[in-house]
Amino acid sequence: MPNVRIFMSFDRENDEDLHDLLLEQSLRRASGFEISARSEARTMTDLWDEKLRRRICEADEVIVICGEHTADSMRVSAELRIAQEEQKPYFLLWGRRESMCTKPVGSKRDEGMYSWTWEILQNQIVTTLRQAQPLEIPEHCKRRPATTRDA
């Protein structure tokens, strides 16, 4: 199976070290994922929004790394909004074990943050992608339309 392409969303002002850690983990030989794009420190304009939307659409899923100030990051909130609008699968990752991490504005009330361990990270990438796939029903399990003979 080819690597899952990830768009990495994070608070650039406060969580650059978390970016570096996830990037390092993606470079492991058997990680199963690659960082195809990430948050950028550019001025938020219509052109920025357009480019960001394209980069999120090109990824298979989005990982939002949550730190202490993620709720205050307009960029992370914009990235999450675009992922939701484009129906891109995503999940929230608790970035700092020793701190109270916050969700970005726009996250769903019942959405949790996943602990960041190697095993949970790999499992969540696969699970999130699988849950986003449409359910395929085998032909032999589909209901047949009623005929006049059946009625």
Side-chain angles (χ1 to χ4, degrees):
M1 179 174 142
N3 278 349
V4 176
R5 294 169 307 186
I6 301 292
F7 179 90
M8 184 189 339
S9 176
F10 66 100
D11 177 3
R12 292 195 58 95
E13 286 76 26
N14 299 292
D15 297 324
E16 190 77 33
D17 59 321
L18 299 177
H19 158 272
D20 296 344
L21 180 58
L22 186 59
L23 184 61
E24 179 185 314
Q25 288 182 335
S26 75
L27 297 174
R28 291 184 180 175
R29 200 164 81 197
S31 73
F33 69 99
E34 64 181 280
I35 306 302
S36 62
R38 60 189 63 89
S39 299
E40 291 183 7
R42 292 191 177 159
T43 305
M44 294 173 64
T45 64
D46 289 341
L47 181 60
W48 175 84
D49 194 283
E50 234 176 82
K51 185 177 178 183
L52 175 63
R53 186 173 300 275
R54 188 174 59 250
R55 290 175 32 240
I56 289 174
C57 285
E58 290 170 353
D60 296 316
E61 70 183 272
V62 175
I63 295 177
V64 181
I65 304 175
C66 300
E68 294 174 272
H69 306 286
T70 302
D72 300 326
S73 174
M74 291 181 4
R75 280 189 186 87
V76 174
S77 295
E79 291 162 354
L80 177 61
R81 175 185 49 79
I82 290 170
Q84 291 169 336
E85 289 171 358
E86 297 297 330
Q87 298 180 346
K88 191 58 65 173
Y90 68 91
F91 65 93
L92 308 177
L93 196 60
W94 190 288
R96 301 190 183 281
R97 288 184 189 169
E98 70 283 354
S99 302
M100 181 50 105
C101 297
T102 61
K103 295 180 187 181
V105 171
S107 61
K108 297 172 186 158
R109 173 181 240 143
D110 61 348
E111 253 172 352
M113 283 186 267
Y114 290 89
S115 296
W116 189 347
T117 66
W118 178 242
E119 294 78 23
I120 291 173
L121 176 63
Q122 286 192 303
N123 288 337
Q124 198 54 43
I125 288 171
V126 171
T127 301
T128 300
L129 201 54
R130 186 180 306 132
Q131 289 174 340
Q133 301 301 315
L135 182 61
E136 291 185 33
I137 301 171
E139 282 301 317
H140 71 279
C141 293
K142 292 182 181 177
R143 253 184 227 192
R144 292 179 296 175
T147 62
T148 54
R149 220 169 132 198
D150 293 336

